[in-house]
Structure formats: C-alpha cells, structure tokens
C-alpha cells in the first residue's frame, strides 16, 4: 500500500493502541515512536501486531471475531447476517480476511463521518505480555524494517555454515564445463608429455649419430653421402 492519509494514520494508531491496551499494556508508550518511524507502513505494522496478539493460537474466536464484526457493522452491515458463511469460507485465514477488510474500508473514512469503533475489547481487563528480547520495533518481533530513501542494501550473502557442499553431479558438471583449474592442469600435462617426446627423439638421434661416426672411423662402412662405385657391365651386355 502507498502512504496513508492522516485520517487513516490516526485510525491505525488507535487500533494499535487498542491491541496493546488489551494484550500488552506496557507497549502503549511505544506507539507514537512506531508511527513516526514507520510512516507509510501503518497497515503493515498493524497487521503484524494484530496477528501476534489476537489472531494467534493462544486466543479464541471470541477474542478476534469482534474485529471483523466492527468492520462490517461500520461499512457493510448487510454482511453481518452472512458472517458464519464468510468465516467458514475463510477458515484458518481469518487474519487475512481482516487485513483485506482494513485495506478496503479504512481508506474510505473521511473527516466529519462517524468514527470507526477502534477498541473491540472495551471494558475488558488488560494483560501484560512478556517483553520482546529484541525490543518493540527491532528485527525479531514481527515488525517490518523501517524504509528509508537511502536504503540500497544488498541481499544478505549466505553464511559459510549455510553453504551446501557440492554434490557429485555438480562436481562433474564443473569438470565438464572446463573450470580454470582443470584447464590449467590439462595444459601442464600436455606440455610435459610433449617435452618428454622431444627429449626421447633427441636422444635417439644423438645415439644414431654417434654410431655412424664410429663406423666411419673404422672404415667398415662408407658414409651415406659417398656414392658406391657403379657395377661394370659384363661381356654379354
């Protein structure tokens, strides 16, 4: 949702205060600061808070049903007679239904019109919930991160312990793809083989040259570059 109008902001602040007044009275003093810090996110903050304190396993139907009835009573009274059918349709999704009603009807509020009934638990005693270790508006308590015009944070890089080891298939794919290390090793092996063949060839040639030189010195064989005498033709020819 976009930035809420001032009447909407006031309604969401009153709704949040009502939840805290009933379920965690100690948080009431934090509400003005939350509203200032999360400008434009009032609906999101309220949804997180109402899910935590009202639409939760610890609460019964009698705790959260008044919120839905208030919205229909103020904006669409004809739906009250169908409330059982609606709740059956949204079984286990009551919090999502309530958020949809807030998104649809609260922006319709105008100055001078009858105010929305914001406290569904008027007259009921408040309760003090355990303090959140992270604080009222810190990560870990279910509230969204405050937005900033200069917020260009990068996605969190995975921690070392979160990195999964490569499977055998992944390793084969890397080798098949010709990783730099594999290519480098293959080049080194090729060069060594080539150098070895060249050295063997040079040794064979050197050995052959020595053998021919020795034969020439003994006179046992004529050098290859001296032509043998031509055979004399016999008389018949």
């Amino acid at each position: 949702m976009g930035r809420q109008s001032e009447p909407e902001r006031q309604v969401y602040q009153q709704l949040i205060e009502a939840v805290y007044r009933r379920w965690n009275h100690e948080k009431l003093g934090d509400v003005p600061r939350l509203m200032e810090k999360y400008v434009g996110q009032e609906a999101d903050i309220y949804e997180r808070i109402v899910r935590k304190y009202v639409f939760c396993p610890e609460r019964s139907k009698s705790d959260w049903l008044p919120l839905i009835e208030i919205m229909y009573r103020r904006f669409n009274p004809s739906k009250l007679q169908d409330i059982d059918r609606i709740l059956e349709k949204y079984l286990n999704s009551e919090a999502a239904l309530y958020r949809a009603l807030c998104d649809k009807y609260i922006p319709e509020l105008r100055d001078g019109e009858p105010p929305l009934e914001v406290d569904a638990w008027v007259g009921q005693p408040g309760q003090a919930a355990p303090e959140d270790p992270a604080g009222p508006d810190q990560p870990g308590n279910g509230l969204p991160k405050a937005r900033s015009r200069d917020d260009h944070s990068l996605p969190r890089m995975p921690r070392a312990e979160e990195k999964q080891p490569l499977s055998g298939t992944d390793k084969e794919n890397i080798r098949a793809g010709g990783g730099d290390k594999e290519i480098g090793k293959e080049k080194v092996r090729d060069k060594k083989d080539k150098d070895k063949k060249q050295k063997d060839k040079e040794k064979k040639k050197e050995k052959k040259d020595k053998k021919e030189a020795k034969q020439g010195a003994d006179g046992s064989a004529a050098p290859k570059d001296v032509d043998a005498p031509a055979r004399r033709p016999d008389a018949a020819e």
Side-chain angles (χ1 to χ4, degrees):
M1 292 183 63
R3 185 186 181 97
Q4 277 78 33
S5 64
E6 190 57 33
E8 290 178 67
R9 282 176 49 79
Q10 293 177 1
V11 169
Y12 279 116
Q13 179 170 345
Q14 293 168 359
L15 289 170
I16 293 172
E17 289 172 343
V19 174
Y20 281 154
R21 190 179 298 113
R22 176 69 178 91
W23 305 110
N24 194 352
H25 196 275
E26 295 179 357
K27 293 289 187 71
L28 271 174
D30 295 330
V31 175
R33 182 169 57 84
L34 291 178
M35 299 300 295
E36 181 179 355
K37 185 172 184 178
Y38 296 102
V39 174
Q41 303 178 75
E42 294 84 359
D44 295 332
I45 294 174
Y46 178 56
E47 180 186 14
R48 299 294 182 91
I49 292 174
V50 84
R51 280 179 179 269
K52 177 178 180 179
Y53 290 102
V54 187
F55 293 96
C56 59
E58 294 80 11
R59 307 291 177 239
S60 64
K61 180 179 178 180
S62 61
D63 292 320
W64 51 260
L65 181 58
L67 292 173
I68 296 175
E69 291 178 332
I70 284 173
M71 297 299 291
Y72 282 135
R73 188 180 303 116
R74 170 64 176 80
F75 298 102
N76 198 348
S78 63
K79 291 289 186 179
L80 286 173
Q81 61 185 4
D82 298 327
I83 191 70
D84 292 336
R85 179 183 59 80
I86 294 172
L87 292 178
E88 182 178 356
K89 180 179 179 180
Y90 290 94
L91 183 64
N92 298 323
S93 299
E94 294 85 1
L97 168 63
Y98 182 61
R99 171 63 191 262
L101 294 175
C102 290
D103 289 346
K104 180 177 180 180
Y105 291 124
I106 290 181
E108 295 181 3
L109 290 170
R110 298 291 182 270
D111 291 333
E113 294 183 352
L116 177 67
E117 184 182 349
V118 293
D119 195 339
W121 309 282
V122 175
Q124 298 185 28
Q127 299 181 9
E131 186 72 17
D132 291 327
D137 58 351
Q138 298 299 320
N141 67 354
L143 295 181
K145 180 183 177 182
R147 294 174 185 168
S148 170
R149 294 180 180 178
D150 299 327
D151 186 6
H152 302 293
S153 57
L154 296 175
R156 183 181 66 85
M157 296 299 291
R159 297 175 181 176
E161 61 268 24
E162 295 175 346
K163 295 181 179 179
Q164 298 297 325
L166 290 175
S167 64
T169 304
D170 292 335
K171 292 179 179 179
E172 289 298 324
N173 290 338
I174 292 175
R175 282 195 285 267
D180 291 342
K181 291 184 178 180
E182 293 297 328
I183 292 176
K185 291 179 180 179
E186 190 66 30
K187 287 183 176 180
V188 171
R189 286 194 293 267
D190 291 344
K191 188 175 186 303
K192 287 183 178 180
D193 292 342
K194 188 175 181 180
D195 291 344
K196 186 175 183 300
K197 290 179 181 180
Q198 182 65 26
K199 288 181 180 179
D200 291 343
K201 186 177 179 180
E202 290 175 355
K203 286 181 179 180
K204 288 181 180 180
K205 184 176 184 302
E206 182 180 357
K207 187 176 181 180
K208 185 177 180 181
D209 290 344
K210 287 181 178 180
K211 183 178 180 181
E212 291 178 350
K214 184 177 180 180
Q215 291 176 347
D218 295 342
S220 58
K224 283 188 175 182
D225 55 349
V226 178
D227 294 334
R231 184 176 63 89
R232 295 178 61 185
D234 49 18
E237 298 175 349

